Amino acid sequence: MKDFIIVGAGLAGISFAETAFLNNRSFTVISDNSQNSSYVAAGLYNPIVLKRFSLPQDAAIHLDYMLPFYERIQHRLNIKIDYSLPVYRKFASVEEQNNWFQAADKPALEPFLFPEILHKDFSGLPAPFGFGKVLHTGYVDTVVLLRSYKEYLKSLDCFEEEKFNYSELIIEHDYVSYKGVQARHIIFAEGFGIHSNPYFKYLPLDGTKGELLVIKAPKLDLDVAVNASIFILPVGKDIYKVGATYEWYDKTPTPTQAGKMELIEKLNELITCDYEILDHLAGIRPTVKDRKPLIGTHPEYKRVHLLNGLGTRGVMLGPSMANELYYSIISGEPVRREVGLQRFKLS
């Protein structure tokens, strides 16, 4: 008898698997990698929503929990995935500068916003109004994380690479069974794949398509991530990730010409040097209209649980949301209403 069956091996599924591992619980992860948003994600972590100069609820707590979480994985798997990197907000006007000063004076934001305007000359990226520097930021290499962790799970003989067949799940009073594997609980962490899940497809997870480019720009000398109308993230060897688009109607994970042209247009407005496009990626982010995760236990099946809706902040939210769900399951206490399933009625 396992403690958990975990369906999905993106940021949500891996976060729960690691949480179970840290608590000496047994588990099997099942995934066919059909949901690719975690692989496509830039992996940026930034506690501030720069568009609105706001601090999402518990962002500081998520950040404090996240950093040692990934550090333990780095140490145990002997990989490098967490890169501390400043985020510079490029200002387009004096008004944006003034908005920055006002935000930096707020007690909640003060620890994360450098209070001075930085005038730094980056080759290929003019910024006549300067930059604002966000503190405690960086990125996680999600591709290295997910691929390495999957191989690690295979070495522990607790990973099954297959498409989950919901019709073969048997739910009993005190355990679940799937293809002969019995477990006390099952965790669904399928991202946008929730729409095929008969237990949770009633939930309003809309999904938002995002596209990004991978470019090579030898004359763009950036050692920070830049946030403007798009972000530019340096990942080494003159390679940069550029994104991202937000598309609410197209739910296919296929890169589009329209998305590519949107990114090229915004990039050309931002930088003045030549570049080569190396790759064009797309994925469906698991987003909810109220911008909150979806975690908790099914209202009718007490052995069936969900970890989803991490949206654009999966790198930051995954570890702490997995931890909250884990302790809800162990204690029998529901998760907080603001992130819990109880805020939506079963229909």
Side-chain angles (χ1 to χ4, degrees):
M1 175 78 71
K2 301 267 188 176
D3 290 305
F4 301 103
I5 294 171
I6 303 166
V7 182
L11 287 169
I14 291 302
S15 293
F16 196 90
E18 177 69 5
T19 301
F21 175 86
L22 294 174
N23 287 278
N24 298 311
R25 303 286 179 167
S26 58
F27 57 88
T28 291
V29 178
I30 301 172
S31 175
D32 65 350
N33 295 320
S34 62
Q35 301 302 316
N36 69 336
S37 64
S38 293
Y39 283 92
V40 174
L44 271 170
Y45 57 86
N46 167 20
I48 305 295
V49 179
L50 289 172
K51 189 174 183 179
R52 298 185 294 274
F53 289 118
S54 62
L55 185 70
Q57 186 177 16
D58 298 329
I61 296 173
H62 297 319
L63 187 65
D64 287 343
Y65 188 84
M66 176 203 81
L67 294 173
F69 185 91
Y70 291 125
E71 176 59 35
R72 284 190 294 265
I73 293 177
Q74 288 188 141
H75 180 74
R76 194 167 69 252
L77 273 60
N78 193 30
I79 57 176
K80 176 66 174 175
I81 55 173
D82 183 13
Y83 296 86
S84 177
L85 189 74
V87 171
Y88 278 27
R89 174 72 163 91
K90 180 178 178 289
F91 298 131
S93 64
V94 173
E95 182 183 6
E96 287 190 357
Q97 293 177 336
N98 292 333
N99 291 340
W100 179 272
F101 287 129
Q102 292 174 11
D105 281 339
K106 296 179 180 179
L109 300 180
E110 184 269 335
F112 303 104
L113 301 182
F114 189 70
E116 300 175 14
I117 303 298
L118 301 179
H119 291 279
K120 188 170 181 180
D121 293 325
F122 292 111
S123 176
L125 198 154
F129 294 97
F131 301 92
K133 181 180 179 180
V134 188
L135 308 175
H136 310 297
T137 57
Y139 75 95
V140 170
D141 189 328
T142 58
V143 173
V144 171
L145 167 62
L146 298 177
R147 288 179 178 170
S148 300
Y149 207 94
K150 184 171 76 170
E151 292 305 311
Y152 173 67
L153 294 177
K154 287 180 178 179
S155 74
L156 299 178
D157 197 26
C158 58
F159 185 87
E160 298 292 336
E161 193 151 1
E162 63 176 77
K163 183 177 178 62
F164 189 84
N165 186 344
Y166 301 98
S167 66
E168 295 196 50
L169 176 64
I170 301 169
I171 303 173
E172 303 289 358
H173 175 70
D174 54 356
Y175 70 96
V176 300
S177 177
Y178 180 74
K179 293 186 176 181
V181 177
Q182 294 183 342
R184 293 175 177 84
H185 303 274
I186 185 167
I187 313 297
F188 287 108
E190 311 135 295
F192 190 66
I194 192 177
H195 289 279
S196 300
N197 188 319
Y199 301 98
F200 293 110
K201 63 182 180 181
Y202 73 93
L203 292 166
L205 189 140
D206 295 329
T208 309
K209 183 171 184 172
E211 301 185 45
L212 61 81
L213 301 177
V214 180
I215 68 168
K216 184 167 187 177
K219 294 184 178 180
L220 181 61
D221 186 22
L222 276 183
D223 57 357
V224 302
V226 172
N227 175 285
S229 58
I230 52 175
F231 68 77
I232 302 178
L233 171 66
V235 294
K237 298 181 179 179
D238 300 324
I239 308 296
Y240 300 85
K241 289 185 176 181
V242 177
T245 63
Y246 289 83
E247 166 59 52
W248 286 269
Y249 300 103
D250 179 3
K251 306 297 184 183
T252 63
T254 307
T256 66
Q257 185 65 18
K260 182 178 182 179
M261 294 311 298
E262 178 184 339
L263 291 172
I264 289 174
E265 181 179 342
K266 291 180 177 179
L267 181 61
N268 290 342
E269 292 174 352
L270 193 56
I271 67 174
T272 57
C273 59
D274 293 334
Y275 60 88
E276 174 190 0
I277 297 175
L278 302 180
D279 208 351
H280 177 200
L281 307 170
I284 310 296
R285 310 176 187 92
T287 54
V288 186
K289 284 185 178 179
D290 64 4
R291 295 192 176 94
K292 300 290 178 62
L294 288 170
I295 66 173
T297 299
H298 192 279
E300 293 182 354
Y301 302 105
K302 302 308 177 186
R303 300 282 164 176
V304 179
H305 315 276
L306 184 71
L307 176 57
N308 210 317
L310 303 183
T312 61
R313 306 174 80 80
V315 163
M316 274 187 63
L317 290 175
S320 55
M321 290 296 98
N323 187 61
E324 184 164 349
L325 177 60
Y326 172 82
Y327 279 102
S328 170
I329 294 170
I330 298 304
S331 69
E333 296 293 324
V335 299
R336 293 170 296 132
R337 182 175 180 80
E338 55 262 37
V339 297
L341 307 186
Q342 63 267 39
R343 68 191 196 270
F344 302 109
K345 290 184 179 181
L346 177 63
S347 59

